[in-house]
């Protein structure tokens, strides 16, 4: 099986092959060479509540959660979310016309809270990292920033609004397909 | 002796108080909101009562409801923990009226230290140093120049009504004063409609050092030395340690004596903490505020002095004298506490949700005060701290090494946590040499210089694991699609048979 992957804003190609005895996984970072790994089924084992992985003889205890194309891997107190697309998923994503791999055309709230301040209005051009609004939740003020360059299509909330989780906050103009 | 104590709190501090109660043979009563039915403090208590909907105002901050439970459960005393109603003189009064003991300071203590401006004056009278500054606002540049000379450069000019970084200027030399003064006045006027400004000494290498004090009903007051809490994000503490690597022994004794004198001057009862801003360049200390309750970071004092502070609070509330004299208190070794929070390690945005796996570290010289367990759903209504990890060592280096070891064992998945942030801080040279100030996280961790936290994990492990799991998911989906195709076939066959 062949995947496109995105991790920490870096692009990779990954192939996975399973046999009775084990796994063959190959990685290629964009611009670099292929690196090949081989593991036995013993090396990558499922335990009661974790995965025990002996990777190059280093012992890791892992947990993985999946959400759409996002796979979040937890180990040793660290965690990384990796986007994985196989052919079927790439086709699916392009049909959704969200533009570049991993793009998103809206900002929604992850938890209930209160809007403290809104920095943008419809029509504003925004750069990746620029602040969009401040939301108060869990006793703290959280500044939400743009995850990529774009243009604000519509702002659905204003300062003082109390909102539930998964509330649409801001819509962005869809990016042109690359 | 108390027969029953109600803990008007939740989370790890409720469990901490219950442990002290159990050790003393006292029954513990828990209160919980609708969101906390499955919280660990409910499961560990002897009795538990629901006090209403999740929002704090309707539950943990509702004095009437809590007093009603006190009467129903026939409790003798209430421990308020920290936060919530712990510094509410209304709560302390209501309990007194109901004939229930409030395990904490007197209502007068709470009122006196609750007013930031009044407490500053009280402390000044008790001989506690306060940040050199003008007593009120100053009218013009001439007056400013005179005061600045007295206070000593560098100074900070602040607009009285200012905030959010507006109306603040730091002045290093007399030549810059006039323009900075005018800039603050005009910002004050333009942003806050108030052009009053005042001047304070600018502390260049500020550290947050606090002294634990304890008073009983017999007039005894002792200190239990200091805690340094300078590693902060968003003005909230993240890492605390005792002793402080930056306080010289003579200054330490002086701070302790000053804190005791201050507490004595207001006849302070119970556990309290006097917070100072400490200038690491000059080793001077100045009063910031006093917290009339037990602090989150109390464990490091317990570990280093051997005193169970919560048991001591209960004994003092019973009218017993302090179980130690000042000469009994010694700091042995070094303790450091890390606050493990359910939040993004980069943005500090809270990450509520369901914890999947949860394994806390164990082994020598490790203490974990937490309340998470596998499958626990972290509620959105309260703060994101889920555990405190404390390690002790003979030396600071040993304590840090044990913390790093413990963090590798700390498994917390399903939600984001700041474990990796702590690992990075504990490896950072500025933390290791002890010179860190309250600006440490802002300037050295969150800055451009340190864009990505070091993961301590081979990056390929993440990629390979994700790929193998994605492969497995795809394989099982293919099987399902095959079944779907068969169902279409079945439908087609059935349709044909009907016509």
């Amino acid at each position: 099986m062949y995947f496109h992957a995105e991790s920490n804003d870096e692009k990779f190609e990954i192939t996975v092959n399973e046999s009775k005895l084990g796994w063959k996984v190959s990685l290629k970072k964009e611009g670099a060479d292929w690196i090949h790994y081989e593991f036995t089924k013993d090396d990558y084992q499922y335990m009661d509540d974790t995965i025990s992985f002996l990777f190059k003889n280093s012992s890791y205890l892992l947990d993985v959660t999946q959400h759409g194309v996002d796979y979040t891997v937890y180990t040793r107190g660290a965690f990384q979310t990796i986007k994985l697309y196989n052919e079927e998923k790439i086709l699916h994503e392009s049909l959704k016309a969200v533009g570049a791999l991993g793009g998103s055309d809206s900002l929604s709230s992850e938890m209930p809270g209160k809007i403290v301040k809104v920095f943008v209005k419809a029509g504003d051009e925004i750069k990746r990292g620029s602040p969009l609004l401040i939301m108060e939740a869990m006793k703290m003020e959280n500044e939400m920033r743009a995850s990529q360059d774009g243009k604000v299509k519509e702002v659905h909330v204003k300062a003082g609004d109390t909102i539930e989780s998964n509330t649409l906050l801001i819509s962005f103009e869809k990016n042109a397909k690359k | 002796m108390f027969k029953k104590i109600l803990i008007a709190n939740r989370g790890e501090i409720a469990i901490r108080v219950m442990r002290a109660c159990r050790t003393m043979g006292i029954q513990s009563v828990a209160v919980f909101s609708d969101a906390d039915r499955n919280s660990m403090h409910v499961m560990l208590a002897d009795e538990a009562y629901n006090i209403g909907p999740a929002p704090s105002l309707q539950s943990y901050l509702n004095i009437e409801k809590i007093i009603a439970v006190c009467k129903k459960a026939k409790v003798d005393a209430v421990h308020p923990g920290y936060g919530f109603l712990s510094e509410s003189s209304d709560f302390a009064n209501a309990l007194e009226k109901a004939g229930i003991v409030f395990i904490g300071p007197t209502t007068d203590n709470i009122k006196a230290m609750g007013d930031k401006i009044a407490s500053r004056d009280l402390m000044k009278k008790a001989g506690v140093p306060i940040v050199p500054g003008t007593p009120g606002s100053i009218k013009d540049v001439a007056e400013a120049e005179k005061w600045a000379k007295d206070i000593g450069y560098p100074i900070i000019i602040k607009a009285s009504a200012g905030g959010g970084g507006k109306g603040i200027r730091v002045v290093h030399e007399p030549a810059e004063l006039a323009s900075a003064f005018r800039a603050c006045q005009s910002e004050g006027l333009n942003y806050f409609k108030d052009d009053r400004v005042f001047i304070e000494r600018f502390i260049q290498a500020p550290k947050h050092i606090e002294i634990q004090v304890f008073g009983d009903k017999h007039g005894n007051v002792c200190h239990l030395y200091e805690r340094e809490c300078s590693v902060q994000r968003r003005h909230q503490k993240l890492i605390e340690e005792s002793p402080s690597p930056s306080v010289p022994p003579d200054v330490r004794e002086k701070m302790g004596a000053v804190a005791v004198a201050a507490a004595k001057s207001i006849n302070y009862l119970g556990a309290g903490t006097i917070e100072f801003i400490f200038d690491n360049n000059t080793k001077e200390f100045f009063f910031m505020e006093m917290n009339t309750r037990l602090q989150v970071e109390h464990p490091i004092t317990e570990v280093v002095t051997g005193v169970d502070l919560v048991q001591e609070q209960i004994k003092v509330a019973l009218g017993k004298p302090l179980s130690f004299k000042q000469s009994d208190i010694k700091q042995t070794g070094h303790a450091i506490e890390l606050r493990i929070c359910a939040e993004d390690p980069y943005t500090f945005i809270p990450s509520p949700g369901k914890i999947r796996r949860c394994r806390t570290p164990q082994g020598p010289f490790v203490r974990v005060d937490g309340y998470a367990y596998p499958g626990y759903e972290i509620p959105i209504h309260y703060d994101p701290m889920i555990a405190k990890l404390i390690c002790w060592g003979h030396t600071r280096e040993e304590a840090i090494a044990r913390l790093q070891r413990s963090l590798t064992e700390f498994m917390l998945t399903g939600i984001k946590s700041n474990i990796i942030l702590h690992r990075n801080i504990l490896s950072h040279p500025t933390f290791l040499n002890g010179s860190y100030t309250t600006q440490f996280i802002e300037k050295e961790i969150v800055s451009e210089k340190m864009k990505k936290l070091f993961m301590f994990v081979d990056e390929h492990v993440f990629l390979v694991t994700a790929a193998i799991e994605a492969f497995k998911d795809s394989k099982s989906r293919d099987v399902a699609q095959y079944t779907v195709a068969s169902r279409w076939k079945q439908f087609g066959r059935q349709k044909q048979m009907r016509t």
Side-chain angles (χ1 to χ4, degrees), chain A residues 3 5-7 14 16 25 27 44 51 53 62-66 69-74 80-84, chain B residues 459-473:
Chain A
F3 294 100
E6 245 182 69
S7 168
I14 308 181
V16 181
V25 180
L27 290 174
Y44 191 92
I51 299 165
F53 189 8
L62 302 132
D63 190 23
V64 185
T65 58
Q66 174 252 341
V69 298
D70 285 340
Y71 281 80
T72 303
V73 181
Y74 301 85
Q80 187 100 281
T81 300
I82 296 159
K83 290 187 192 294
L84 285 163
Chain B
E459 194 196 10
H460 286 185
V461 171
F462 291 122
L463 289 162
V464 169
T465 307
I468 292 180
E469 293 306 304
F471 176 94
K472 289 201 162 139
D473 287 345

Side-chain angles (χ1 to χ4, degrees), chain B residues 78-80 86 101-107 109-110 215 217 268-271 292-293 313 316-317:
Chain B
V78 168
H79 193 301
S86 61
V101 176
F102 176 73
I103 300 175
T106 64
T107 318
N109 291 154
I110 298 176
K217 287 182 180 161
Y268 193 73
L269 178 70
T292 55
R293 55 170 164 79
Q313 284 184 296
V316 160

Side-chain angles (χ1 to χ4, degrees), chain B residues 285-297:
Chain B
F285 58 94
F286 307 103
F287 175 76
M288 223 171 22
E289 62 182 47
M290 179 172 188
N291 293 325
T292 55
R293 55 170 164 79
L294 189 70
Q295 304 255 99
V296 174
E297 58 272 19

Side-chain angles (χ1 to χ4, degrees), chain A residues 1 3 7-8 10 12 14 16 18 23 25 27 35 37 39 44 46-47 49-51 53 55-56 60-66 71 73-80 82 84 86 88-89 111-112 137-143, chain B residues 233-234 236 343 345 348-350 352 356-357 359 378-380 382-384 408 410-417 419-420 423 452 455-475 477 481:
Chain A
M1 201 171 286
F3 294 100
S7 168
N8 266 341
E10 288 177 330
F12 296 83
I14 308 181
V16 181
E18 185 185 11
W23 302 93
V25 180
L27 290 174
I35 297 175
Y37 293 111
F39 317 109
Y44 191 92
Y46 288 94
M47 290 169 50
D49 60 351
T50 49
I51 299 165
F53 189 8
F55 178 80
K56 300 199 274 196
Y60 289 92
L61 276 177
L62 302 132
D63 190 23
V64 185
T65 58
Q66 174 252 341
Y71 281 80
V73 181
Y74 301 85
T75 187
R76 296 188 178 177
F79 59 89
Q80 187 100 281
I82 296 159
L84 285 163
N86 57 16
E88 172 203 316
K89 287 200 172 113
M111 63 196 109
M138 278 180 103
K139 295 175 152 196
M140 297 225 277
E141 280 195 0
N142 305 297
E143 191 178 73
Chain B
R233 53 115 184 68
R234 301 181 171 196
Q236 291 186 329
E343 63 186 34
F348 312 127
I349 292 179
R356 279 168 57 94
R357 319 295 178 227
R359 283 191 210 175
I378 300 174
I380 37 148
Y382 315 113
D383 71 79
T408 63
F410 209 138
M411 189 164 202
L412 200 54
T413 77
I415 45 118
K416 295 183 192 176
S417 80
I419 289 176
I420 203 67
R423 293 206 67 188
K452 290 267 179 246
M455 288 277 160
F456 299 90
V457 172
D458 187 327
E459 194 196 10
H460 286 185
V461 171
F462 291 122
L463 289 162
V464 169
T465 307
I468 292 180
E469 293 306 304
F471 176 94
K472 289 201 162 139
D473 287 345
S474 278
K475 286 279 289 279
R477 259 204 300 279
Q481 278 164 7

Side-chain angles (χ1 to χ4, degrees), chain B residues 105-356:
Chain B
T106 64
T107 318
D108 286 339
N109 291 154
I110 298 176
K111 280 213 184 100
M113 292 296 116
D115 180 339
K116 302 295 174 226
I117 296 177
S119 63
R120 228 176 85 123
D121 288 334
L122 259 173
M123 291 293 104
K124 198 171 170 187
K125 282 197 193 90
V128 182
I130 54 173
V131 183
T134 61
S137 62
I138 43 181
K139 289 190 290 297
D140 51 35
V141 177
E143 206 187 334
E145 277 169 355
K146 184 179 137 305
W147 276 109
K149 201 157 152 225
D150 277 343
I151 293 168
Y153 286 89
I155 53 151
I156 182 166
I157 309 180
K158 291 181 179 172
S160 274
K166 296 270 185 287
I168 289 192
R169 286 289 189 284
V170 176
V171 182
H172 295 273
E173 284 160 34
E176 305 167 355
L177 178 62
S179 60
F181 184 84
R182 278 181 217 116
C184 283
Q185 276 190 315
S186 84
E187 270 177 16
L189 188 63
N190 290 334
Y191 288 97
F192 310 103
K193 300 202 185 74
D194 184 347
D195 68 350
R196 287 181 301 154
V197 295
F198 64 98
I199 297 179
E200 271 180 355
R201 167 102 62 93
F202 177 62
I203 315 277
Q204 294 192 86
K207 281 173 170 274
H208 174 124
I209 313 276
E210 58 189 38
I211 302 274
Q212 177 73 53
V213 293
F214 230 112
D216 64 22
K217 287 182 180 161
H218 306 264
N220 300 308
V221 178
C222 289
H223 72 81
L224 289 103
Y225 290 105
E226 86 282 16
R227 294 183 288 256
E228 168 155 12
C229 316
S230 307
V231 180
Q232 302 176 0
R233 53 115 184 68
R234 301 181 171 196
H235 304 286
Q236 291 186 329
K237 300 165 186 172
L238 203 55
I239 299 180
E240 305 99 352
E241 60 177 313
S242 181
S244 161
S246 305
V247 178
D250 59 325
V251 177
R252 177 174 292 121
E253 293 302 325
K254 202 164 150 214
M255 288 179 88
V258 161
V260 166
K264 271 201 168 125
S265 76
I266 55 168
N267 300 311
Y268 193 73
L269 178 70
T273 297
I274 303 193
E275 298 187 339
F276 296 96
I277 181 168
F278 181 87
D279 186 335
N280 201 27
N281 287 339
T282 64
K283 306 295 182 189
E284 288 172 288
F285 58 94
F286 307 103
F287 175 76
M288 223 171 22
E289 62 182 47
M290 179 172 188
N291 293 325
T292 55
R293 55 170 164 79
L294 189 70
Q295 304 255 99
V296 174
E297 58 272 19
H298 72 272
I300 51 175
T301 295
E302 293 188 318
V303 162
V304 152
T305 61
V307 176
D308 184 323
L309 292 171
V310 181
Q311 276 199 51
E312 202 63 35
Q313 284 184 296
I314 296 173
K315 287 178 191 165
V316 160
L318 281 165
K320 302 193 175 162
L322 290 179
S323 53
F324 48 83
K325 296 188 301 291
Q326 187 64 69
S327 53
D328 296 326
I329 303 295
K330 303 255 181 290
Q331 284 177 310
T332 304
H334 204 105
I336 305 179
E337 172 184 279
L338 308 177
R339 296 196 193 187
I340 310 295
C341 305
E343 63 186 34
D344 186 297
Y346 295 94
T347 63
F348 312 127
I349 292 179
S351 163
K354 194 172 205 144
I355 296 177
R356 279 168 57 94

Side-chain angles (χ1 to χ4, degrees), chain B residues 63 67 89-100:
Chain B
I63 296 179
I67 304 255
S89 47
D90 287 341
F91 186 48
N93 272 330
L95 285 169
E96 201 183 345
K97 282 204 187 80
I100 300 166

